[in-house]
Amino acid sequence: MNSVNQFFWFCSGVHLDTLKKHPTEQNKYVGIGATIFFTGLFAALSGGYAMYFVFKGDPFAVIFALLFGILWGLAIFNMDRYIVASINKNASLWKQILQATPRILLAVMIGIVISRPLELKIFDKEIRERLKVSYLNNQRAKIDTLNKAFNNKYAIELAKLNATRTERDSLASAIKADRQKLNFEIFGNKTAETSGVMGYGPYAKRKEAELIQRQQNLDTLNAYVRQQEDFVTRRKEFDGMFAEKIYTGKQLDSLASIAGFADRNWALGQLSFNPNGTRDESTAMAVTFIGLLFIFFECLPVFVKMMSSIGPYDRSVEFRETAEVYTAEKDRDYEVEVVDGVHETRVNTSIEQKKLRLKEDNY
């Protein structure tokens, strides 16, 4: 426990020799030091997690994340330790608040930076689902844009193809109807357009000749349609339309897994809104309160120091600093008097030397 206590005392930035003289104060500064330490630890975790997404996919991503996390955590730890240690408990309350205000403002910004990566991890499942929807919608929009651009580019060719298809379909329907009439004529089925006499008579022969001619026309139209469809297919392939397809579930899972920090951060912001654009109050409040929690946690070292009462350690530090200031002032006075005394002696010596030289020059 001694080692642990001394470590947390170091974290709190106290003067160890002075603190050891006041056992009643030791637990208080263990708590302050632990708060500063865990704030730096959370900062390291958050910074490392954010950096991991920056270099995600790189074989050295974990190494970069560890290095940055350690550096970021140490920077926050050192800043917290310095500012908490620099708050003068012997000053008035307003002066303490004035000392702490810049640190609190900075803590708010740092808390936001720290909380964001951890929020990304907390809402990881929801973020993945929102990213899948976004990627799927973007892909559909991209395909629709390509189709629209293609239709505009080849509007004349597509219009001719559609007109030919309509003509072909109409001719095919007419041929089917006429073939049925021919069968009725041959088998003696009486209708408004058939004689009702069974046999292969002149009317049936004329109808069959017409059907053959119309079938040839249909074959010509089919050949033209196939030719135009082949042309459209080659154009689509050339314009890269076949390369763009709707993502499968497996592809969406893969894209969501390798999403970068910016995409995930955007998705986290979108969680506060429903798909129809209305605000999702429950999710928005959850994200907000988690962010506020980390901001408060980042401000906690300053709050803990300000809420702690003035103890014998603070008085001892004040007396020690007063004594050191007094000693420094006396050292200054000593140096000033020595310099003044030496200066007067040097002046007198120089005067005597010049008088001797003048006498020698006169003789």
Tab-separated table of all heavy atoms in Angstrom, residues 35-44 46 72-73 75-81 83-84 103-115 290-304:
chain	number	residue	atom	x	y	z
A	35	THR	N	-7.843	10.303	-8.876
A	35	THR	CA	-8.732	10.946	-9.846
A	35	THR	C	-7.945	11.432	-11.061
A	35	THR	O	-8.354	11.236	-12.213
A	35	THR	CB	-9.464	12.128	-9.194
A	35	THR	OG1	-10.170	11.663	-8.043
A	35	THR	CG2	-10.439	12.760	-10.161
A	36	ILE	N	-6.801	12.063	-10.822
A	36	ILE	CA	-5.962	12.547	-11.919
A	36	ILE	C	-5.445	11.372	-12.756
A	36	ILE	O	-5.442	11.420	-13.993
A	36	ILE	CB	-4.788	13.371	-11.364
A	36	ILE	CG1	-5.312	14.641	-10.699
A	36	ILE	CG2	-3.790	13.718	-12.465
A	36	ILE	CD1	-4.254	15.432	-9.971
A	37	PHE	N	-5.046	10.302	-12.088
A	37	PHE	CA	-4.513	9.133	-12.796
A	37	PHE	C	-5.571	8.509	-13.708
A	37	PHE	O	-5.304	8.219	-14.888
A	37	PHE	CB	-4.006	8.098	-11.799
A	37	PHE	CG	-3.647	6.784	-12.427
A	37	PHE	CD1	-2.474	6.643	-13.153
A	37	PHE	CD2	-4.496	5.693	-12.305
A	37	PHE	CE1	-2.144	5.424	-13.749
A	37	PHE	CE2	-4.176	4.474	-12.893
A	37	PHE	CZ	-3.004	4.340	-13.618
A	38	PHE	N	-6.777	8.294	-13.189
A	38	PHE	CA	-7.802	7.636	-13.992
A	38	PHE	C	-8.323	8.540	-15.099
A	38	PHE	O	-8.762	8.060	-16.148
A	38	PHE	CB	-8.942	7.161	-13.091
A	38	PHE	CG	-8.593	5.931	-12.301
A	38	PHE	CD1	-8.415	6.003	-10.932
A	38	PHE	CD2	-8.390	4.712	-12.933
A	38	PHE	CE1	-8.076	4.872	-10.207
A	38	PHE	CE2	-8.046	3.577	-12.210
A	38	PHE	CZ	-7.880	3.661	-10.844
A	39	THR	N	-8.268	9.843	-14.891
A	39	THR	CA	-8.611	10.758	-15.984
A	39	THR	C	-7.620	10.607	-17.130
A	39	THR	O	-7.996	10.543	-18.310
A	39	THR	CB	-8.619	12.213	-15.480
A	39	THR	OG1	-9.546	12.343	-14.411
A	39	THR	CG2	-9.002	13.165	-16.595
A	40	GLY	N	-6.322	10.549	-16.795
A	40	GLY	CA	-5.310	10.321	-17.827
A	40	GLY	C	-5.458	8.968	-18.491
A	40	GLY	O	-5.240	8.816	-19.698
A	41	LEU	N	-5.874	7.946	-17.702
A	41	LEU	CA	-6.056	6.603	-18.257
A	41	LEU	C	-7.196	6.587	-19.269
A	41	LEU	O	-7.064	6.007	-20.364
A	41	LEU	CB	-6.340	5.618	-17.118
A	41	LEU	CG	-6.543	4.156	-17.532
A	41	LEU	CD1	-5.295	3.604	-18.200
A	41	LEU	CD2	-6.917	3.308	-16.316
A	42	PHE	N	-8.327	7.219	-18.922
A	42	PHE	CA	-9.437	7.290	-19.867
A	42	PHE	C	-9.044	8.081	-21.116
A	42	PHE	O	-9.469	7.739	-22.226
A	42	PHE	CB	-10.654	7.935	-19.201
A	42	PHE	CG	-11.532	6.955	-18.482
A	42	PHE	CD1	-11.513	6.874	-17.103
A	42	PHE	CD2	-12.361	6.099	-19.179
A	42	PHE	CE1	-12.313	5.968	-16.441
A	42	PHE	CE2	-13.174	5.185	-18.518
A	42	PHE	CZ	-13.145	5.118	-17.137
A	43	ALA	N	-8.250	9.112	-20.941
A	43	ALA	CA	-7.782	9.878	-22.098
A	43	ALA	C	-6.915	9.009	-23.003
A	43	ALA	O	-7.008	9.082	-24.231
A	43	ALA	CB	-6.992	11.103	-21.625
A	44	ALA	N	-6.074	8.171	-22.416
A	44	ALA	CA	-5.215	7.277	-23.205
A	44	ALA	C	-6.055	6.270	-23.982
A	44	ALA	O	-5.806	6.029	-25.169
A	44	ALA	CB	-4.240	6.552	-22.277
A	46	SER	N	-9.211	6.574	-24.901
A	46	SER	CA	-9.977	7.273	-25.920
A	46	SER	C	-9.102	7.674	-27.104
A	46	SER	O	-9.460	7.475	-28.263
A	46	SER	CB	-10.629	8.516	-25.314
A	46	SER	OG	-11.308	9.257	-26.300
A	72	TRP	N	-1.029	10.727	-25.560
A	72	TRP	CA	-2.182	11.561	-25.244
A	72	TRP	C	-2.543	11.457	-23.763
A	72	TRP	O	-2.824	12.460	-23.100
A	72	TRP	CB	-3.350	11.136	-26.114
A	72	TRP	CG	-4.621	11.912	-25.889
A	72	TRP	CD1	-5.764	11.456	-25.323
A	72	TRP	CD2	-4.870	13.282	-26.224
A	72	TRP	NE1	-6.723	12.434	-25.284
A	72	TRP	CE2	-6.203	13.582	-25.831
A	72	TRP	CE3	-4.112	14.287	-26.817
A	72	TRP	CZ2	-6.770	14.827	-26.017
A	72	TRP	CZ3	-4.685	15.535	-26.994
A	72	TRP	CH2	-5.988	15.787	-26.602
A	73	GLY	N	-2.523	10.233	-23.229
A	73	GLY	CA	-2.826	10.054	-21.809
A	73	GLY	C	-1.827	10.760	-20.913
A	73	GLY	O	-2.209	11.394	-19.925
A	75	ALA	N	-0.017	13.363	-21.716
A	75	ALA	CA	-0.189	14.813	-21.849
A	75	ALA	C	-1.333	15.310	-20.966
A	75	ALA	O	-1.196	16.315	-20.255
A	75	ALA	CB	-0.459	15.168	-23.312
A	76	ILE	N	-2.461	14.605	-20.995
A	76	ILE	CA	-3.603	15.002	-20.163
A	76	ILE	C	-3.258	14.835	-18.684
A	76	ILE	O	-3.589	15.687	-17.848
A	76	ILE	CB	-4.844	14.169	-20.527
A	76	ILE	CG1	-5.221	14.394	-22.006
A	76	ILE	CG2	-6.011	14.524	-19.624
A	76	ILE	CD1	-5.529	15.817	-22.358
A	77	PHE	N	-2.593	13.730	-18.352
A	77	PHE	CA	-2.200	13.486	-16.960
A	77	PHE	C	-1.284	14.593	-16.448
A	77	PHE	O	-1.477	15.117	-15.348
A	77	PHE	CB	-1.493	12.131	-16.873
A	77	PHE	CG	-0.788	11.900	-15.570
A	77	PHE	CD1	-1.483	11.507	-14.441
A	77	PHE	CD2	0.588	12.080	-15.469
A	77	PHE	CE1	-0.830	11.299	-13.232
A	77	PHE	CE2	1.247	11.877	-14.273
A	77	PHE	CZ	0.533	11.483	-13.149
A	78	ASN	N	-0.291	14.967	-17.253
A	78	ASN	CA	0.659	15.992	-16.829
A	78	ASN	C	-0.021	17.347	-16.659
A	78	ASN	O	0.257	18.077	-15.699
A	78	ASN	CB	1.785	16.099	-17.852
A	78	ASN	CG	2.842	17.110	-17.439
A	78	ASN	OD1	3.555	16.926	-16.462
A	78	ASN	ND2	2.937	18.194	-18.191
A	79	MET	N	-0.940	17.668	-17.571
A	79	MET	CA	-1.632	18.949	-17.480
A	79	MET	C	-2.533	18.987	-16.248
A	79	MET	O	-2.557	19.987	-15.513
A	79	MET	CB	-2.464	19.178	-18.741
A	79	MET	CG	-3.146	20.529	-18.782
A	79	MET	SD	-3.992	20.790	-20.339
A	79	MET	CE	-5.152	19.420	-20.275
A	80	ASP	N	-3.277	17.891	-16.016
A	80	ASP	CA	-4.135	17.835	-14.826
A	80	ASP	C	-3.301	17.949	-13.551
A	80	ASP	O	-3.673	18.660	-12.613
A	80	ASP	CB	-4.927	16.524	-14.812
A	80	ASP	CG	-6.107	16.556	-15.758
A	80	ASP	OD1	-6.526	17.659	-16.121
A	80	ASP	OD2	-6.588	15.478	-16.144
A	81	ARG	N	-2.209	17.247	-13.513
A	81	ARG	CA	-1.349	17.242	-12.320
A	81	ARG	C	-0.809	18.646	-12.043
A	81	ARG	O	-0.799	19.105	-10.889
A	81	ARG	CB	-0.197	16.268	-12.531
A	81	ARG	CG	0.763	16.149	-11.346
A	81	ARG	CD	1.784	15.053	-11.632
A	81	ARG	NE	2.726	14.918	-10.530
A	81	ARG	CZ	3.875	15.577	-10.443
A	81	ARG	NH1	4.219	16.435	-11.389
A	81	ARG	NH2	4.669	15.404	-9.399
A	83	ILE	N	-2.048	21.645	-13.089
A	83	ILE	CA	-3.060	22.653	-12.762
A	83	ILE	C	-3.657	22.405	-11.387
A	83	ILE	O	-3.894	23.339	-10.613
A	83	ILE	CB	-4.145	22.679	-13.847
A	83	ILE	CG1	-3.523	23.154	-15.162
A	83	ILE	CG2	-5.306	23.559	-13.449
A	83	ILE	CD1	-4.466	23.247	-16.315
A	84	VAL	N	-3.905	21.136	-11.042
A	84	VAL	CA	-4.437	20.840	-9.714
A	84	VAL	C	-3.437	21.242	-8.642
A	84	VAL	O	-3.792	21.809	-7.603
A	84	VAL	CB	-4.800	19.341	-9.603
A	84	VAL	CG1	-5.096	18.959	-8.156
A	84	VAL	CG2	-5.996	19.025	-10.481
A	103	ARG	N	-8.808	26.090	-16.792
A	103	ARG	CA	-8.682	24.624	-16.791
A	103	ARG	C	-10.039	23.964	-17.029
A	103	ARG	O	-10.128	22.974	-17.742
A	103	ARG	CB	-8.101	24.178	-15.442
A	103	ARG	CG	-8.105	22.677	-15.232
A	103	ARG	CD	-7.216	21.976	-16.255
A	103	ARG	NE	-7.314	20.536	-16.140
A	103	ARG	CZ	-8.132	19.774	-16.820
A	103	ARG	NH1	-8.964	20.333	-17.679
A	103	ARG	NH2	-8.147	18.472	-16.670
A	104	ILE	N	-11.104	24.534	-16.444
A	104	ILE	CA	-12.427	23.948	-16.635
A	104	ILE	C	-12.875	24.088	-18.085
A	104	ILE	O	-13.436	23.157	-18.677
A	104	ILE	CB	-13.436	24.608	-15.678
A	104	ILE	CG1	-13.093	24.243	-14.225
A	104	ILE	CG2	-14.866	24.177	-16.007
A	104	ILE	CD1	-13.937	24.968	-13.203
A	105	LEU	N	-12.628	25.272	-18.684
A	105	LEU	CA	-12.976	25.454	-20.093
A	105	LEU	C	-12.217	24.476	-20.980
A	105	LEU	O	-12.774	23.888	-21.924
A	105	LEU	CB	-12.689	26.902	-20.516
A	105	LEU	CG	-13.539	27.979	-19.843
A	105	LEU	CD1	-13.075	29.360	-20.282
A	105	LEU	CD2	-15.011	27.776	-20.169
A	106	LEU	N	-10.929	24.318	-20.675
A	106	LEU	CA	-10.133	23.365	-21.439
A	106	LEU	C	-10.623	21.941	-21.204
A	106	LEU	O	-10.630	21.113	-22.117
A	106	LEU	CB	-8.660	23.492	-21.039
A	106	LEU	CG	-7.655	22.650	-21.844
A	106	LEU	CD1	-7.727	23.011	-23.316
A	106	LEU	CD2	-6.248	22.875	-21.306
A	107	ALA	N	-11.045	21.666	-19.968
A	107	ALA	CA	-11.548	20.325	-19.640
A	107	ALA	C	-12.807	19.998	-20.432
A	107	ALA	O	-13.025	18.843	-20.818
A	107	ALA	CB	-11.827	20.222	-18.150
A	108	VAL	N	-13.644	20.991	-20.669
A	108	VAL	CA	-14.853	20.761	-21.461
A	108	VAL	C	-14.478	20.320	-22.869
A	108	VAL	O	-15.033	19.344	-23.413
A	108	VAL	CB	-15.722	22.034	-21.496
A	108	VAL	CG1	-16.871	21.876	-22.485
A	108	VAL	CG2	-16.266	22.338	-20.115
A	109	MET	N	-13.517	21.024	-23.493
A	109	MET	CA	-13.087	20.642	-24.841
A	109	MET	C	-12.417	19.270	-24.845
A	109	MET	O	-12.674	18.439	-25.722
A	109	MET	CB	-12.138	21.717	-25.398
A	109	MET	CG	-12.811	23.051	-25.662
A	109	MET	SD	-11.718	24.239	-26.469
A	109	MET	CE	-10.606	24.615	-25.124
A	110	ILE	N	-11.567	19.044	-23.855
A	110	ILE	CA	-10.896	17.735	-23.774
A	110	ILE	C	-11.911	16.628	-23.516
A	110	ILE	O	-11.824	15.533	-24.089
A	110	ILE	CB	-9.820	17.759	-22.674
A	110	ILE	CG1	-8.693	18.713	-23.061
A	110	ILE	CG2	-9.249	16.365	-22.446
A	110	ILE	CD1	-7.671	18.916	-21.967
A	111	GLY	N	-12.909	16.915	-22.666
A	111	GLY	CA	-13.945	15.924	-22.390
A	111	GLY	C	-14.713	15.539	-23.633
A	111	GLY	O	-15.047	14.363	-23.839
A	112	ILE	N	-15.000	16.523	-24.488
A	112	ILE	CA	-15.689	16.229	-25.742
A	112	ILE	C	-14.825	15.339	-26.627
A	112	ILE	O	-15.296	14.357	-27.228
A	112	ILE	CB	-16.053	17.535	-26.471
A	112	ILE	CG1	-17.081	18.321	-25.648
A	112	ILE	CG2	-16.591	17.264	-27.862
A	112	ILE	CD1	-17.368	19.705	-26.187
A	113	VAL	N	-13.528	15.679	-26.704
A	113	VAL	CA	-12.603	14.891	-27.532
A	113	VAL	C	-12.468	13.469	-26.987
A	113	VAL	O	-12.435	12.492	-27.744
A	113	VAL	CB	-11.223	15.581	-27.591
A	113	VAL	CG1	-10.218	14.707	-28.316
A	113	VAL	CG2	-11.340	16.930	-28.291
A	114	ILE	N	-12.403	13.348	-25.661
A	114	ILE	CA	-12.250	12.032	-25.043
A	114	ILE	C	-13.518	11.202	-25.205
A	114	ILE	O	-13.466	9.996	-25.487
A	114	ILE	CB	-11.905	12.191	-23.547
A	114	ILE	CG1	-10.482	12.712	-23.385
A	114	ILE	CG2	-12.034	10.857	-22.815
A	114	ILE	CD1	-10.096	12.980	-21.954
A	115	SER	N	-14.674	11.839	-25.036
A	115	SER	CA	-15.929	11.088	-25.018
A	115	SER	C	-16.319	10.560	-26.386
A	115	SER	O	-16.937	9.497	-26.493
A	115	SER	CB	-17.052	11.977	-24.476
A	115	SER	OG	-17.306	13.059	-25.355
A	290	ILE	N	-23.929	10.756	-22.003
A	290	ILE	CA	-22.625	10.085	-21.984
A	290	ILE	C	-21.512	11.103	-22.212
A	290	ILE	O	-20.474	11.090	-21.543
A	290	ILE	CB	-22.582	8.963	-23.035
A	290	ILE	CG1	-23.480	7.804	-22.592
A	290	ILE	CG2	-21.159	8.462	-23.237
A	290	ILE	CD1	-23.618	6.714	-23.616
A	291	GLY	N	-21.730	12.027	-23.156
A	291	GLY	CA	-20.746	13.081	-23.384
A	291	GLY	C	-20.564	13.958	-22.156
A	291	GLY	O	-19.430	14.292	-21.778
A	292	LEU	N	-21.674	14.336	-21.510
A	292	LEU	CA	-21.583	15.157	-20.301
A	292	LEU	C	-20.882	14.425	-19.171
A	292	LEU	O	-20.162	15.035	-18.371
A	292	LEU	CB	-22.988	15.573	-19.854
A	292	LEU	CG	-23.721	16.565	-20.769
A	292	LEU	CD1	-25.140	16.795	-20.270
A	292	LEU	CD2	-22.961	17.877	-20.866
A	293	LEU	N	-21.098	13.099	-19.112
A	293	LEU	CA	-20.437	12.312	-18.074
A	293	LEU	C	-18.922	12.383	-18.203
A	293	LEU	O	-18.202	12.589	-17.215
A	293	LEU	CB	-20.903	10.850	-18.149
A	293	LEU	CG	-20.207	9.873	-17.190
A	293	LEU	CD1	-20.503	10.249	-15.750
A	293	LEU	CD2	-20.656	8.445	-17.483
A	294	PHE	N	-18.418	12.252	-19.421
A	294	PHE	CA	-16.966	12.302	-19.625
A	294	PHE	C	-16.428	13.722	-19.432
A	294	PHE	O	-15.303	13.899	-18.971
A	294	PHE	CB	-16.619	11.778	-21.021
A	294	PHE	CG	-16.657	10.283	-21.123
A	294	PHE	CD1	-17.719	9.647	-21.724
A	294	PHE	CD2	-15.639	9.510	-20.592
A	294	PHE	CE1	-17.771	8.272	-21.815
A	294	PHE	CE2	-15.676	8.127	-20.674
A	294	PHE	CZ	-16.747	7.506	-21.285
A	295	ILE	N	-17.228	14.722	-19.791
A	295	ILE	CA	-16.800	16.101	-19.548
A	295	ILE	C	-16.676	16.346	-18.051
A	295	ILE	O	-15.697	16.942	-17.575
A	295	ILE	CB	-17.804	17.086	-20.181
A	295	ILE	CG1	-17.715	17.005	-21.711
A	295	ILE	CG2	-17.530	18.508	-19.718
A	295	ILE	CD1	-18.777	17.812	-22.424
A	296	PHE	N	-17.674	15.879	-17.289
A	296	PHE	CA	-17.609	16.028	-15.834
A	296	PHE	C	-16.411	15.257	-15.267
A	296	PHE	O	-15.723	15.753	-14.362
A	296	PHE	CB	-18.910	15.512	-15.207
A	296	PHE	CG	-18.872	15.482	-13.706
A	296	PHE	CD1	-19.013	16.651	-12.971
A	296	PHE	CD2	-18.675	14.287	-13.024
A	296	PHE	CE1	-18.966	16.627	-11.588
A	296	PHE	CE2	-18.623	14.255	-11.642
A	296	PHE	CZ	-18.772	15.426	-10.920
A	297	PHE	N	-16.181	14.064	-15.790
A	297	PHE	CA	-15.061	13.255	-15.298
A	297	PHE	C	-13.733	13.951	-15.575
A	297	PHE	O	-12.802	13.891	-14.760
A	297	PHE	CB	-15.083	11.887	-15.974
A	297	PHE	CG	-14.149	10.894	-15.345
A	297	PHE	CD1	-14.498	10.226	-14.181
A	297	PHE	CD2	-12.908	10.631	-15.911
A	297	PHE	CE1	-13.634	9.308	-13.594
A	297	PHE	CE2	-12.040	9.726	-15.330
A	297	PHE	CZ	-12.402	9.061	-14.164
A	298	GLU	N	-13.644	14.629	-16.719
A	298	GLU	CA	-12.412	15.356	-17.041
A	298	GLU	C	-12.235	16.566	-16.135
A	298	GLU	O	-11.119	16.928	-15.790
A	298	GLU	CB	-12.460	15.789	-18.512
A	298	GLU	CG	-11.295	16.637	-18.964
A	298	GLU	CD	-9.959	15.942	-18.815
A	298	GLU	OE1	-9.919	14.695	-18.832
A	298	GLU	OE2	-8.938	16.649	-18.660
A	299	CYS	N	-13.351	17.185	-15.733
A	299	CYS	CA	-13.272	18.337	-14.814
A	299	CYS	C	-13.100	17.912	-13.363
A	299	CYS	O	-12.825	18.762	-12.498
A	299	CYS	CB	-14.543	19.191	-14.931
A	299	CYS	SG	-14.803	19.933	-16.552
A	300	LEU	N	-13.285	16.631	-13.080
A	300	LEU	CA	-13.309	16.158	-11.707
A	300	LEU	C	-12.044	16.476	-10.911
A	300	LEU	O	-12.154	16.846	-9.727
A	300	LEU	CB	-13.581	14.645	-11.690
A	300	LEU	CG	-14.049	14.054	-10.362
A	300	LEU	CD1	-15.302	14.766	-9.876
A	300	LEU	CD2	-14.317	12.562	-10.513
A	301	PRO	N	-10.826	16.334	-11.471
A	301	PRO	CA	-9.639	16.668	-10.657
A	301	PRO	C	-9.657	18.088	-10.105
A	301	PRO	O	-9.308	18.311	-8.950
A	301	PRO	CB	-8.483	16.470	-11.652
A	301	PRO	CG	-8.984	15.479	-12.627
A	301	PRO	CD	-10.444	15.778	-12.787
A	302	VAL	N	-10.111	19.028	-10.933
A	302	VAL	CA	-10.180	20.412	-10.466
A	302	VAL	C	-11.267	20.563	-9.413
A	302	VAL	O	-11.077	21.217	-8.375
A	302	VAL	CB	-10.457	21.360	-11.648
A	302	VAL	CG1	-10.578	22.803	-11.168
A	302	VAL	CG2	-9.348	21.250	-12.684
A	303	PHE	N	-12.435	19.930	-9.648
A	303	PHE	CA	-13.524	20.023	-8.677
A	303	PHE	C	-13.125	19.414	-7.331
A	303	PHE	O	-13.445	19.958	-6.266
A	303	PHE	CB	-14.769	19.319	-9.223
A	303	PHE	CG	-15.397	20.023	-10.385
A	303	PHE	CD1	-16.189	19.333	-11.293
A	303	PHE	CD2	-15.213	21.376	-10.586
A	303	PHE	CE1	-16.774	19.973	-12.364
A	303	PHE	CE2	-15.790	22.037	-11.667
A	303	PHE	CZ	-16.576	21.327	-12.554
A	304	VAL	N	-12.432	18.273	-7.381
A	304	VAL	CA	-12.017	17.610	-6.143
A	304	VAL	C	-11.080	18.503	-5.344
A	304	VAL	O	-11.203	18.646	-4.119
A	304	VAL	CB	-11.356	16.251	-6.446
A	304	VAL	CG1	-10.674	15.681	-5.204
A	304	VAL	CG2	-12.385	15.258	-6.962
